Amino acid sequence: MKKSVNLYFDKECPFCNYYANYNLVKTNHNLNLYNAREYPQKIKLLREKGFDINNGIIIEVDEKIFQGSNAVKQLNKLSTNEVKVLNTKFFSFLLYPIIKFIRKVVLFILNKNPHIK
């Protein structure tokens, strides 16, 4: 049965945008992509539930919410081609924080605000 997956990401970030559009979840599930900058009300509701988009991508699956590396792991599990490294502690504790830092640097270079309100 196809699951409905809502993915909130920063479309201005080249890495986030590529990942959201490349994601292989859409092959087996209904993947809905939302640019967090265009949905401030939804982002506010997520923030009220304790999920800040500035701390990483957010997904909703079966009324459950995941963020950051946990969101990536969840998407990976739903994907047609699971990438083993995304399910490791190495990814969660080292690679994902590095990716988040690089995102901020790239957005700074592109003269974009890395903070989403």
Side-chain angles (χ1 to χ4, degrees):
M1 184 164 113
K2 284 191 170 192
K3 294 182 184 225
S4 181
V5 179
N6 296 328
L7 171 58
Y8 301 90
F9 68 104
D10 182 4
K11 193 171 185 174
E12 291 189 13
C13 169
F15 302 116
C16 303
N17 193 34
Y18 175 80
Y19 179 74
N21 286 297
Y22 168 78
N23 201 296
L24 296 174
V25 171
K26 58 188 162 198
T27 306
N28 293 332
H29 304 285
N30 297 320
L31 180 63
N32 305 301
L33 302 178
Y34 297 98
N35 179 1
R37 295 177 189 273
E38 296 175 356
Y39 293 88
Q41 285 303 105
K42 181 61 179 183
I43 297 307
K44 181 182 177 193
L45 290 172
L46 289 167
R47 198 171 277 129
E48 289 171 359
K49 293 180 180 181
F51 299 94
D52 185 349
I53 192 69
N54 295 299
N55 293 329
I57 67 167
I58 299 173
I59 64 165
E60 294 175 310
V61 182
D62 294 333
E63 299 181 24
K64 294 180 184 172
I65 302 172
F66 302 90
Q67 181 165 27
S69 63
N70 290 328
V72 173
K73 286 180 185 179
Q74 228 17 68
L75 289 170
N76 191 39
K77 288 177 186 176
L78 297 171
S79 177
T80 54
N81 292 333
E82 195 169 339
V83 179
K84 300 293 183 200
V85 72
L86 297 179
N87 295 329
T88 65
K89 289 182 180 180
F90 175 73
F91 174 76
S92 295
F93 296 108
L94 184 65
L95 290 181
Y96 192 78
I98 290 171
I99 292 167
K100 281 180 22 180
F101 175 76
I102 292 170
R103 171 191 172 267
K104 288 182 180 181
V105 171
V106 168
L107 288 174
F108 176 78
I109 291 169
L110 295 174
N111 200 26
K112 306 278 187 180
N113 185 354
H115 187 76
I116 300 170
K117 297 178 183 181

